Amino acid sequence: MNLFTHVNATTIAEATAATAKAGTAPIAGGSDLLTYLRTMCSPNAPTNLVNLKTVVPSMAYIKEEGGFLKVGALTTLTAIANDSTTLAKYTALAQAALSVASPELRNQGTIGGNICQKPRCQYFRFDNDDFKCLRKDPAGTCFALTGVNTYHSVFGPLNGCVAALPSDIAPVLVAMNANIVTTVKTWKAADFFVVPNVADARREQINALAAGEIVTEIQIPTPATGSKSAYMKWSFRKSIDFPLVSAAVLTTVAGGSVTAASIVLGAVYGQPRVATGAQTALVGQAINATSATAAGTAAATGTTVLPTPGGTNSNSYKVQIIKVMVQKAVLATA
Ligand SMILES: Cc1cc2nc3c(=O)[nH]c(=O)nc-3n(C[C@H](O)[C@H](O)[C@H](O)COP(=O)(O)OP(=O)(O)OC[C@H]3O[C@@H](n4cnc5c(N)ncnc54)[C@H](O)[C@@H]3O)c2cc1C
């Protein structure tokens, strides 16, 4: 394991100042960061960690205020999954939180850490930095583009990388038009999740946070009357497994038909993928098997299955699963 120092920040100002130093990263639950450090997979690993759990006032809370559900960045996924208001009114968020990993990891993992986790591609994560992938090294290669890519993007590369977004929470935040509040600014979720260019020092991130910028709060607008949301996730295992395809859906229904639809895919591209065709297909329709199937079909258009060396590593299965996940998530909002 890489050696590192660890300091307990007592205020957000102290955490911000400490995190601004080169080679420093904040640590929340540590469920992603310690795995990354332990495997020594990256030469860019931080050597100083700043503990956010000791910050006062605590950034672990859930409250409704000013037309938003406000969730502190240090709130655990277990707390979100069990919160009665979140379950009733922001259902997709509670379902996404419950779908992450295992009870132990949800008890430890936070929402802030979830949306700042590192990519999960096996070449990025390989022990001892054995693969110089371009998310770690600007002179590197995307090995997955022509290698083992079973779990990867079906909508092509993003800045040269075909790793799929690993976060269960990210597509929900985009679908629900959330704000992500940091020590620097308030981001719209749709602008927050990006794959930085390889020339950018942030190339390892799944978001656009600047060095030293800390997420403090997530704000989700209270859905309009007649709205329901749902999150569906598909992975090989039922537990302790990252999403391979997911769909977050928010619909608003008035007079029996959909007046607004937000449909966002996770784990099929480097960032949350807004399924605009599926949204268009659903608006004006009643929610039923026919309209949900049409939305699923529209969501799966424009896919690009990756090359399959030896014919064994195809990720083409994801295309059919997109259709089914969207169909199920739409029907769950009826
Ligand atoms: C076996 C296993 C299975 C998993 N399964 C899933 C899964 O199914 N779905 C899923 O989405 N994730 C999964 N994860 C990833 C991870 O556990 C979760 O995403 C968790 O929510 C991360 O939160 P954390 O608080 O532990 O983050 P940490 O590990 O503490 O931090 C993760 C990253 O975010 C940064 N960070 C943390 N908090 C902040 C903040 N407030 N502001 C800015 N940067 C911050 C850290 O510097 C670090 O780079 C899994 C992990 C493991 C080990």
Side-chain angles (χ1 to χ4, degrees):
M1 188 180 214
N2 289 317
L3 292 175
F4 58 87
T5 63
H6 180 275
V7 295
N8 291 325
T10 54
T11 63
I12 193 66
E14 194 182 313
T16 304
T19 310
K21 291 183 192 134
T24 305
I27 180 165
S31 63
D32 180 55
L33 185 53
L34 293 179
T35 318
Y36 164 86
L37 290 177
R38 190 186 64 222
T39 54
M40 297 195 288
C41 64
S42 171
N44 309 310
T47 48
N48 310 303
L49 302 186
V50 178
N51 185 10
L52 301 179
K53 294 185 293 296
T54 43
V55 166
V56 179
S58 165
M59 289 188 281
Y61 56 83
I62 305 176
K63 59 186 177 192
E64 267 191 318
E65 192 178 77
F68 292 97
L69 182 78
K70 296 184 174 176
V71 184
L74 269 283
T75 309
T76 65
L77 299 169
T78 296
I80 295 167
N82 291 341
D83 181 67
S84 56
T85 304
T86 309
L87 266 168
K89 292 167 68 176
Y90 309 84
T91 313
L93 180 65
Q95 290 173 336
L98 184 63
S99 80
V100 172
S102 64
E104 294 84 353
L105 284 158
R106 291 192 293 273
N107 288 344
Q108 189 69 18
T110 66
I111 188 168
N114 190 283
I115 62 172
C116 298
Q117 61 181 288
K118 302 279 186 188
R120 270 284 151 184
C121 173
Q122 73 276 10
Y123 296 109
F124 178 87
R125 295 274 178 163
F126 212 89
D127 289 6
N128 305 314
D129 189 26
D130 278 354
F131 288 89
K132 306 284 180 209
C133 102
L134 50 70
R135 295 296 286 274
K136 294 182 280 190
D137 182 347
T141 305
C142 180
F143 294 93
L145 196 53
T146 53
V148 176
N149 50 39
T150 317
Y151 306 140
H152 293 68
S153 169
V154 284
F155 287 101
L158 196 48
N159 280 327
C161 169
V162 290
L165 176 79
S167 165
D168 276 300
I169 299 295
V172 174
L173 298 188
V174 176
M176 301 192 84
N177 192 27
N179 296 326
I180 295 164
V181 183
T182 73
T183 44
V184 175
K185 62 183 274 192
T186 297
W187 295 83
K188 295 309 288 182
D191 301 326
F192 181 79
F193 297 105
V194 299
V195 171
N197 190 284
V198 293
D200 191 316
R202 297 171 293 181
R203 70 184 71 85
E204 288 197 0
Q205 296 176 195
I206 63 165
N207 59 45
L209 278 185
E213 186 175 0
I214 296 172
V215 177
T216 55
E217 186 176 87
I218 316 297
Q219 301 176 339
I220 303 184
T222 304
T225 306
S227 299
K228 281 189 185 172
S229 65
Y231 180 73
M232 291 284 162
K233 166 176 176 174
W234 191 87
S235 52
F236 284 123
R237 293 192 304 242
K238 292 286 171 232
S239 180
I240 322 184
D241 215 351
F242 284 86
L244 291 174
V245 176
S246 69
V249 172
L250 171 68
T251 60
T252 308
V253 173
S257 54
V258 175
T259 55
S262 183
I263 302 177
V264 181
L265 306 175
V268 292
Y269 191 44
Q271 61 189 160
R273 171 106 185 165
V274 180
T276 47
Q279 294 173 170
T280 305
L282 198 57
V283 171
Q285 309 296 316
I287 296 178
N288 54 38
T290 305
S291 63
T293 303
T297 303
T301 55
T303 51
T304 311
V305 173
L306 291 168
T308 57
T312 52
N313 298 323
S314 172
N315 65 351
S316 61
Y317 67 95
K318 286 194 173 192
V319 178
Q320 177 61 20
I321 296 169
I322 290 171
K323 296 178 188 173
V324 177
M325 288 300 102
V326 169
Q327 182 196 47
K328 285 186 160 196
V330 167
L331 287 173
T333 67

